[in-house]
Amino acid sequence: MRVYHLPFSYTLNPNADSLEYFIVGNVGYSKVSISQDVIIPPNSRLNYENHIATYTAGLGAGVRYKFKDDFSISTGLELIYSRSGIKVEKPDDNVGDAIEGFFSSNYNDNISYEFFTDLTYKPKLKYLKPYAKLSYKLYQTKSSFTFNELSSFSTDSGITTFTLGAESNKLFTLGESYLTLEAYLNANYLNGEVQNTVKFDKFVSVGAVSYLYSKNIQWIKRYFLELNKVKAKGLSGYNIGIGFTIDY
């Protein structure tokens, strides 16, 4: 699987004492390829010459209340549009081919509501930046939607996540650039239709992230390299992520 994901979050009043308003959103593209034949009901076949491609775009808003500088609660709603389908693999599959696939008549449209809420605790220590977070996300998705369907809402899937982690202070400094390391543990609990689809109700992920803070490019706050291991009943895998955070 290859995933290209650009999330963003913007706080409208970052200097507020207690109540903040923010905007969230994302755009993304993913491609899933396999090495054997799989039948996808009702009459589709996925093999090594095909792959599943998905395009996503989302926009939402929320509010955050800060009880103290180190403790806050957030809640909000995001509307996510996605378009997915099976596509024949090309030897020269590139960005142009990926964009072309978006307009394929074999793709189907989906709309998802995401309701999210979380409690975050970030104590301030001298040599470490620990954090604990409890979050809940509720999803409801409609495939090949019509605008009449958007007025109805029912619970489809939910995920509760408990996260423990910590980021170090500066470890290595070179001029105005410096490196930090972060480690985290996620415990995730599934409910609703997603549980029936993946055939498990919980999974754990352990990860480590290295951050390079640099001012070489003014609009980039930091670069990161992330390594992650996922473990569940009947599932085990690794993820590698690279990217950067935009400062705006």
Side-chain angles (χ1 to χ4, degrees):
M1 173 184 284
R2 295 181 183 179
V3 178
Y4 305 88
H5 188 221
L6 178 62
F8 69 87
S9 175
Y10 181 72
T11 302
L12 300 177
N13 54 338
N15 297 320
D17 292 332
S18 58
L19 196 62
E20 294 179 344
Y21 302 95
F22 58 89
I23 298 172
V24 295
N26 72 88
V27 292
Y29 170 73
S30 67
K31 184 174 76 170
V32 180
S33 303
I34 63 171
S35 58
Q36 61 183 356
D37 285 355
V38 173
I39 302 299
I40 301 178
N43 53 8
S44 298
R45 178 182 294 273
L46 183 66
N47 55 44
Y48 67 93
E49 294 180 345
N50 299 339
H51 64 262
I52 296 176
T54 302
Y55 308 81
T56 62
L59 185 64
V63 60
R64 179 183 300 107
Y65 182 78
K66 296 184 290 185
F67 298 97
K68 298 180 179 179
D69 291 339
D70 57 1
F71 185 51
S72 65
I73 182 172
S74 302
T75 187
L77 181 68
E78 184 175 4
L79 190 66
I80 303 171
Y81 167 78
S82 61
R83 186 170 172 81
S84 60
I86 298 176
K87 179 182 175 185
V88 176
E89 185 80 27
K90 296 181 180 180
D92 58 345
D93 194 21
N94 52 33
V95 174
D97 295 324
I99 296 175
E100 177 186 8
F102 179 82
F103 300 98
S104 172
S105 60
N106 296 323
Y107 280 53
N108 68 294
D109 300 304
N110 311 283
I111 198 76
S112 299
Y113 302 91
E114 178 193 348
F115 169 77
F116 58 88
T117 185
D118 63 66
L119 285 167
T120 304
Y121 177 57
K122 293 183 177 181
K124 296 180 180 180
L125 302 182
K126 186 175 181 180
Y127 299 108
L128 202 61
K129 301 174 184 176
Y131 59 88
K133 184 176 181 180
L134 177 64
S135 64
Y136 178 72
K137 294 182 178 180
L138 175 68
Y139 297 92
Q140 198 271 346
T141 300
K142 296 182 181 298
S143 181
S144 299
F145 67 91
T146 65
F147 286 100
N148 290 332
E149 291 177 321
L150 297 182
S151 60
S152 63
F153 181 87
S154 60
T155 302
D156 276 354
S157 301
I159 178 170
T160 302
T161 303
F162 179 65
T163 304
L164 287 176
E167 182 181 355
S168 69
N169 287 335
K170 299 178 183 179
L171 294 179
F172 304 100
T173 303
L174 181 61
E176 294 186 342
S177 301
Y178 61 91
L179 181 73
T180 69
L181 295 177
E182 178 183 354
Y184 63 85
L185 170 67
N186 285 337
N188 306 274
Y189 302 89
L190 310 178
N191 61 76
E193 292 185 8
V194 65
Q195 179 180 335
N196 299 326
T197 300
V198 299
K199 306 304 180 183
F200 55 81
D201 59 359
K202 57 183 176 291
F203 67 94
V204 175
S205 60
V206 180
V209 192
S210 62
Y211 296 106
L212 175 63
Y213 291 81
S214 175
K215 295 185 178 180
N216 293 332
I217 301 178
Q218 293 298 322
W219 51 273
I220 295 182
K221 180 180 180 180
R222 64 184 183 182
Y223 305 87
F224 67 84
L225 171 64
E226 180 175 4
L227 304 177
N228 175 278
K229 177 176 174 58
V230 180
K231 182 68 176 179
K233 184 178 180 180
L235 173 69
S236 180
Y238 297 89
N239 300 301
I240 300 175
I242 57 173
F244 56 87
T245 302
I246 299 175
D247 189 8
Y248 57 89

